Amino acid sequence: MTLAATELGLTAGTWNIDPAHSEVTFAIRHLMTKVRGSFTDFSGAVTIADDVAASTATAEIKLASIDTRNADRDAHVRTADVLDVENHPTMTFATTGVRAEGGDYKVDGTLTIKGIAKSVTLDVDFHGIGQDPWGGTRAGFSATTTINRKDWGIEFNVPLGGDKALLGDKVDITLEIQAVQS
């Protein structure tokens, strides 16, 4: 099924992610609850095609910008034990396909962390477009996915006895994106 960009109110072209009005966040189980964090330094763009299925998105996230509201934990996550930001300073995403399933949108792509590229699917909600007070046109999107950190070679953990460990393997990723039309 072809979905025209105009049916969504979108104009074909490049829409740049506005990092001041966007978020890249995650959550991982730590002991009996979830710890949440974000990456504060990222960039990217969405290129809307006339046929939405041919649209693309790219993003680059600076891993050193991790913020879990705990400086000691952030410093450890930056080490070779976890993200190894000295050798792998960025995480990237690039689309391989866009599809509509019912009223939902799926964005398939390649997520690269620590030099390991794996396929992921983002569940995307399109929130519409609108004019901003500065004369620009903005589009809003939310996207979620869950990955297994071990798929990207992130093995660090602390055993707690029996089958329990300090960290869970699943990482929930949430994106809140405002993109400005070029």
Side-chain angles (χ1 to χ4, degrees):
M1 175 176 130
T2 300
L3 178 62
T6 55
E7 291 178 60
L8 298 174
L10 285 166
T11 303
T14 301
W15 297 68
N16 294 311
I17 294 173
D18 175 2
H21 296 98
S22 299
E23 294 180 337
V24 176
T25 62
F26 63 90
I28 184 171
R29 186 185 51 74
H30 178 270
L31 295 172
M32 287 69 60
T33 62
K34 287 191 175 183
V35 168
R36 299 180 191 288
S38 64
F39 293 96
T40 59
D41 187 359
F42 55 90
S43 61
V46 178
T47 302
I48 302 296
D50 289 327
D51 176 1
V52 172
S55 299
T56 61
T58 58
E60 180 178 279
I61 298 154
K62 305 286 186 193
L63 295 175
S65 73
I66 192 166
D67 181 4
T68 65
R69 299 176 329 276
N70 182 295
D72 291 339
R73 177 174 47 221
D74 294 347
H76 180 243
V77 172
R78 290 180 187 108
T79 70
D81 278 350
V82 186
L83 293 176
D84 193 11
V85 300
E86 185 175 318
N87 293 305
H88 304 284
T90 60
M91 168 174 42
T92 60
F93 177 82
T95 14
T96 57
V98 178
R99 55 197 158 91
E101 286 186 5
D104 298 326
Y105 301 98
K106 306 286 186 186
V107 174
D108 300 313
T110 301
L111 179 64
T112 303
I113 305 171
K114 292 178 70 170
I116 300 170
K118 297 278 184 181
S119 296
V120 298
T121 298
L122 300 173
D123 295 316
V124 177
D125 292 325
F126 173 59
H127 303 301
I129 64 164
Q131 299 301 308
D132 65 29
W134 308 280
T137 302
R138 293 177 179 261
F141 306 88
S142 295
T144 59
T145 194
T146 299
I147 64 170
N148 185 323
R149 64 190 178 86
K150 290 183 176 181
D151 291 344
W152 282 268
I154 303 171
E155 300 283 339
F156 174 82
N157 218 336
V158 176
L160 298 176
D163 62 348
K164 295 183 180 180
L166 181 68
L167 299 173
D169 294 337
K170 292 182 181 179
V171 180
D172 299 323
I173 299 170
T174 303
L175 309 172
E176 293 296 335
I177 302 298
Q178 276 190 31
V180 182
Q181 187 176 21
S182 293

